[in-house]
Amino acid sequence: MTAAVDGAGIEVSGHGGQLALAALRAAGVGELFTLSGGHVFPLYDAAHTSGFPLYDVRHEQTAVFAAEAVAKLRRRPGVAVLTAGPGVTNGVSGLTSAFFNAAPVLVLGGRAPQFRWGSGSLQEIDHLPIVRSVTKHAATVGATDDIAGAVTAALEHSLTPHRGPSFLDLPLEVVFSTGDAKVVAPQVAVLDPDPDLVEAAARRIATAQRPVIIAGSDVYGGDAVDALRAAAEALTVPVFANGMGRGALPPSHLLAFAKSRRKALDGADVVVVIGTPLDFRLGFGDFGAAEVIHIVDAPSQRAEHVQVALSPAGDLRAILTGLADWAGARADHTDWVAALRQAEQAAAAKHELEMQAGGELIKPSRVYGELRKVLDADAVTIGDGGDFVSYAGRYLEPSVPGSWLDPGPYGCLGTGMGYAMGARITYPDRQICVLMGDGAAGFSLMDVESLVRQHLPVVMVVGNNGIWGLEKHPMRAMYGYDVAADLQPALRYDEVVRAMGGAGETVRDADQLGAAFDRAFASGVPYLVNVITDPDDAYPRSANLA
Ligand SMILES: Cc1ncc(C[n+]2csc(CCOP(=O)(O)OP(=O)(O)O)c2C)c(N)n1
Ligand SMILES: [Mg+2]
């Protein structure tokens, strides 16, 4: 490959893999995730011969989830390279997850040769109709000279708010041939919000009697965490968070709330939802008599299923800075904040007792009671499971923004090892802790081998209740019986990890949890703590389907 720089970009010549990689480098991409396939060898050659990090996995879903984790944590593109046909179709859940989570992921797919299309080449299938509905942009690159430009354009789609995944496939002869291109960094346009709408929102929030903010993942994705804090402080509004918004205000902040959401939403007269959809996690945006202000990073994200008073759209940092800078008169929210603080403290006291639960069988709450004692403030916690992960959301309080990874509203089980890989690569020195249900563990545990082989230590904690708990308990409640909801009780998932070169142990006594977690974090290898938990313990939830 050759490269020459001029003012307008870098002239590159080489094979298709080299042209694609040059465009990825120009966009700040730092690694590729893949599972081997001949259709994409030129991308491997480009990475290998230039020392570009390439991580490989045992299932394509792990590659895409790893790319999604990098994209979410670093706020830059995460890239997976998937071979033609089954490689791409195995990645579809990952693409969909990135789509729901507004993660700037790019999947580069191999593709059967164009010149023989229709003759029945190996793995010949048109991927575009399969991925179109779960990507912002999907295209086939028709000529080698076009590869770099197509990669840059795809990244621009992914990075432009509202962010999301893109897909490109590269026909065999296109990626194996040589060509030329001028490579430029992607240009991302931000949408300036309508100042009148921002002003109206500021006025409405400031003059409300009992306002509440709920901040979601796009606040972190849009690098608007500081602006959120400034806006909340300037207008004295209590803040709740979900998804990647968690930790935006540290738990010690006077306006940070987590456990009194019901009281807040029941009592609020204005609910300000920022950077997250008005979906099932937020009662579909129905907050009774309260007015709703929905602040979104693109007009496409405005809710249409519910009446919203105001909906400023555009660059979240600009909108939140506009709220912070608003200089008009404001109502006194002190009593409202104090009332919520009281509710918060009452709930915290209750949670504290739950986290100390004793008894014959270990309660998930106790697992988190012990785990929080060993987690560093900047530990990245990853949830992959049902009830066990719902409890994590309740009991663990991230104190650093961008340190909590859950599967988001798509709720796809199996993200665990991919998210863990992406998080470990992003933060070589932080604690990475994956919280998994025993059912969820089955989707990705084989990728412990990928972690071991590539020296990527993480701690896995399995809440092993021997059931698909989040399904078994509701089915019993609905039908009086359950089917297809049992797993092998007390299975030794730690032995599975040991067999792949990691380490681990099984814990049946709550008093042994702390020492087990210490050993896990000190081990320096993928380490699974297999906690046998109470199968009768069901997370108290009001609805889980609609
Ligand atoms: C890929 C996928 N398949 C099925 C489901 C449906 N589902 C949601 S939670 C759940 C049970 C999870 O069980 P486990 O991981 O053991 O956690 P537990 O609820 O027992 O704590 C299932 C099967 C899903 N969300 N994603
Ligand atoms: Mg389970």
Side-chain angles (χ1 to χ4, degrees):
M1 187 185 105
T2 59
V5 184
D6 74 16
I10 309 170
E11 300 275 3
V12 288
S13 301
H15 62 60
Q18 291 168 323
L19 299 173
L21 189 64
L24 294 173
R25 279 185 193 273
V29 173
E31 65 291 300
L32 302 176
F33 298 99
T34 197
L35 192 156
S36 189
H39 290 85
V40 289
F41 280 174
L43 283 146
Y44 301 167
D45 179 61
H48 177 71
T49 55
S50 66
F52 193 81
L54 176 68
Y55 297 94
D56 66 290
V57 297
R58 305 291 297 253
H59 191 304
E60 285 84 359
Q61 68 168 0
T62 301
V64 185
F65 287 138
E68 186 195 347
V70 166
K72 290 206 287 196
L73 292 169
R74 277 207 200 275
R75 301 184 274 231
R76 63 139 169 87
V79 181
V81 176
L82 306 183
T83 199
V88 170
T89 53
N90 270 354
V92 169
S93 286
L95 270 174
T96 315
S97 181
F99 189 68
F100 274 73
N101 289 329
V105 164
L106 173 63
V107 169
L108 294 174
R111 185 176 170 103
Q114 208 61 35
F115 74 91
R116 284 235 131 93
W117 198 263
S119 318
S121 290
L122 172 72
Q123 299 165 343
E124 181 189 285
I125 185 170
D126 185 7
H127 307 120
L128 301 194
I130 298 172
V131 301
R132 203 165 262 138
S133 66
V134 292
T135 51
K136 289 188 69 185
H137 171 79
T140 297
V141 186
T144 312
D145 287 351
D146 295 341
I147 290 179
V151 167
T152 306
L155 293 173
E156 286 173 348
H157 281 283
S158 283
L159 290 166
T160 301
H162 188 63
R163 299 168 188 82
S166 293
F167 175 87
L168 287 179
D169 59 10
L170 311 170
L172 192 79
E173 74 274 40
V174 171
V175 72
F176 273 85
S177 298
T178 54
D180 311 298
K182 178 167 269 189
V183 171
V184 293
Q187 302 297 311
V188 180
V190 290
L191 176 67
D192 291 327
D194 175 343
D196 292 343
L197 274 183
V198 176
E199 144 94 46
R203 182 182 305 279
R204 189 65 198 92
I205 299 165
T207 56
Q209 297 303 306
R210 297 174 308 282
V212 172
I213 288 176
I214 298 178
S217 296
D218 296 337
V219 171
Y220 181 79
D223 203 1
V225 166
D226 291 342
L228 169 72
R229 196 175 312 169
E233 287 171 357
L235 299 169
T236 322
V237 187
V239 177
F240 294 79
N242 71 14
M244 295 288 287
R246 300 189 72 201
L249 269 61
S252 57
H253 194 285
L254 291 177
L255 294 169
F257 292 82
K259 305 174 196 304
S260 49
R261 205 172 84 167
R262 188 69 275 143
K263 182 177 171 79
L265 294 179
D266 285 349
D269 60 347
V270 172
V271 177
V272 190
V273 177
I274 309 171
T276 191
L278 298 172
D279 62 14
F280 67 96
R281 294 171 300 172
L282 294 178
F284 304 98
D286 179 359
F287 304 117
E291 258 178 52
V292 181
I293 298 176
H294 193 204
I295 298 178
V296 293
D297 64 2
S300 62
Q301 299 309 298
R302 286 184 170 134
E304 285 174 2
H305 60 275
V306 65
Q307 189 68 35
V308 168
L310 288 163
S311 190
D315 181 42
L316 290 184
R317 212 175 339 164
I319 296 173
L320 291 169
T321 303
L323 298 186
D325 291 346
W326 191 71
R330 47 204 75 191
D332 183 359
H333 301 151
T334 324
D335 290 350
W336 168 235
V337 174
L340 287 185
R341 182 58 62 197
Q342 220 173 22
E344 184 83 8
Q345 281 164 351
K350 192 169 150 273
H351 287 186
E352 197 57 44
L353 286 178
E354 290 162 5
M355 279 190 280
Q356 292 167 20
E360 220 16 47
L361 291 166
I362 301 178
K363 301 279 184 206
S365 57
R366 178 70 184 273
V367 179
Y368 296 117
E370 299 301 322
L371 187 62
R372 73 186 161 149
K373 297 180 194 162
V374 304
L375 285 179
D376 296 339
D378 65 356
V380 178
T381 43
I382 297 164
D384 181 14
D387 282 357
F388 189 61
V389 173
S390 302
Y391 280 120
R394 171 189 286 210
Y395 295 116
L396 295 182
E397 290 189 78
S399 42
V400 169
S403 64
W404 168 266
L405 282 177
D406 64 26
Y410 193 54
C412 187
L413 296 177
T415 56
M417 290 309 111
Y419 279 10
M421 180 179 272
R424 171 50 75 216
I425 290 162
T426 302
Y427 298 119
D429 300 322
R430 289 202 198 174
Q431 290 176 332
I432 307 295
C433 185
V434 195
L435 312 161
M436 286 189 289
D438 51 336
F443 286 88
S444 76
L445 212 52
M446 193 67 211
D447 261 310
V448 165
E449 191 274 326
S450 312
L451 296 172
V452 169
R453 186 166 36 79
Q454 294 167 104
H455 309 292
L456 301 168
V458 303
V459 171
M460 295 154 270
V461 180
V462 172
N464 188 348
N465 53 6
I467 55 173
W468 299 98
L470 187 148
E471 304 298 353
K472 184 179 176 93
H473 292 293
M475 189 170 178
R476 285 201 85 81
M478 268 188 225
Y479 289 87
Y481 70 89
D482 65 271
V483 289
D486 287 328
L487 299 162
Q488 186 70 37
L491 198 74
R492 294 296 302 272
Y493 295 97
D494 53 324
E495 294 288 357
V496 176
V497 169
R498 277 178 185 279
M500 290 188 277
E505 58 187 288
T506 288
V507 179
R508 295 166 188 278
D509 173 358
D511 294 334
Q512 304 301 318
L513 284 168
F517 293 148
D518 285 340
R519 284 189 286 273
F521 283 112
S523 72
V525 294
Y527 194 108
L528 189 146
V529 182
N530 184 38
V531 187
I532 310 302
T533 57
D534 181 358
D536 292 330
D537 184 288
Y539 187 83
R541 67 182 80 242
S542 44
N544 70 337
L545 290 178

